[in-house]
Amino acid sequence: MTEAVHQFITDMTAAGASARADGPRILYDVTAVGGALAGQVVTTGVSVSEVLSWPAVPPHWIHLPASVEFDQTNMDDTDCPPGWKRHSREYNYTDMSMPPALAWLRHVRGFISIATPKAA
């Protein structure tokens, strides 16, 4: 594990989202704060390859279970096990008044808040 990957895991855990390595990705749990999933704990993650320059460069893709759906998003299954997708989400860390991991968590929570209910 590289120093940057270890730092991402440490920073996410310190920000309240216990992070853990899982093969080619890092997983962590967040509680959705709004939308169809409000109040639910959602496991999410990023590819290890995306945090190799952490914290200077934040991740771009958000990994989520395929049961978490959106009206519109670019997605694929790179570094995802069966039943997971990763979603392309533009993110630029510009608010230097908060730790990068907290800013990333807020970004992820905001994205999860626009999830749509899974079709039956």
Side-chain angles (χ1 to χ4, degrees), residues 79-97:
D79 294 335
C80 293
W84 283 72
K85 296 289 181 189
R86 68 180 196 155
H87 301 266
S88 174
R89 300 307 298 172
E90 192 61 43
Y91 172 74
N92 294 310
Y93 176 63
T94 57
D95 184 351
M96 303 305 281
S97 68

Side-chain angles (χ1 to χ4, degrees), residues 11-12 14-15 54-55 91 93 95-106:
D11 291 351
M12 293 296 286
W54 178 264
Y91 172 74
Y93 176 63
D95 184 351
M96 303 305 281
S97 68
M98 73 179 77
L102 181 56
W104 175 251
L105 282 174
R106 287 180 176 179

Side-chain angles (χ1 to χ4, degrees), residues 33-76:
V33 295
L37 301 175
Q40 295 181 40
V41 174
V42 179
T43 300
T44 184
V46 299
S47 295
V48 167
S49 62
E50 285 208 75
V51 297
L52 295 177
S53 297
W54 178 264
V57 179
H60 175 82
W61 293 86
I62 300 172
H63 295 225
L64 291 163
S67 61
V68 179
E69 297 181 338
F70 301 89
D71 286 334
Q72 183 176 0
T73 184
N74 293 324
M75 63 183 170
D76 67 27

